[in-house]
Amino acid sequence: QVQLVESGGGLVQPGGSLRLSCAASGSIFSFNRMGWYRQAPGEERELVAAITRSDTNYADSVRGRFTISRDIPKNTVYLQMNSLKPEDTAVYSCMCNNGISNYWGQGTLVTVSS
């Protein structure tokens, strides 16, 4: 059973930056795909960014501002978020797929407000 723990959320002013981390309980080397999703109040969950062994992809709303990366020795996936906007406010969750199942973290709240 894979466990994912997110951290790094919090309150930030518009234009600010945050880095989210997602630490896995085991090696992430075998994961086919890892991603960050977010869900704002009253909204459906949406994909923010994903990374595979060969590429990355981003939602149009965050492309150029957010960067997803992974550190395999540390079993951690990151989401660097720059130029944050109030509409980025949401609970951000990490997901990993090993080709069989999706695993989810508990989420971390990001609030962008002045």
Side-chain angles (χ1 to χ4, degrees):
Q1 185 73 13
V2 176
Q3 292 185 337
L4 304 174
V5 178
E6 300 99 335
S7 61
L11 174 64
V12 63
Q13 293 186 343
S17 297
L18 283 176
R19 188 177 79 158
L20 304 183
S21 300
C22 172
S25 58
S27 173
I28 65 173
F29 179 78
S30 62
F31 287 131
N32 297 337
R33 186 170 181 270
M34 305 184 72
W36 286 95
Y37 289 73
R38 69 185 181 187
Q39 186 168 21
E43 302 288 335
E44 293 186 355
R45 185 169 58 194
E46 64 172 349
L47 174 67
V48 175
I51 184 168
T52 67
R53 294 176 183 175
S54 59
D55 63 7
T56 57
N57 64 283
Y58 298 91
D60 290 343
S61 60
V62 307
R63 188 174 292 111
R65 299 188 296 123
F66 291 10
T67 303
I68 188 171
S69 62
R70 60 181 183 174
D71 187 328
I72 293 176
K74 293 184 178 180
N75 298 323
T76 301
V77 178
Y78 302 100
L79 184 68
Q80 178 66 44
M81 306 186 295
N82 299 327
S83 302
L84 283 161
K85 305 175 181 181
E87 52 263 43
D88 294 318
T89 295
V91 174
Y92 285 71
S93 300
C94 175
M95 184 283 294
C96 298
N97 176 274
N98 62 359
I100 299 173
S101 300
N102 289 335
Y103 299 92
W104 292 89
Q106 82 289 350
T108 185
L109 176 63
V110 172
T111 303
V112 184
S113 175
S114 55

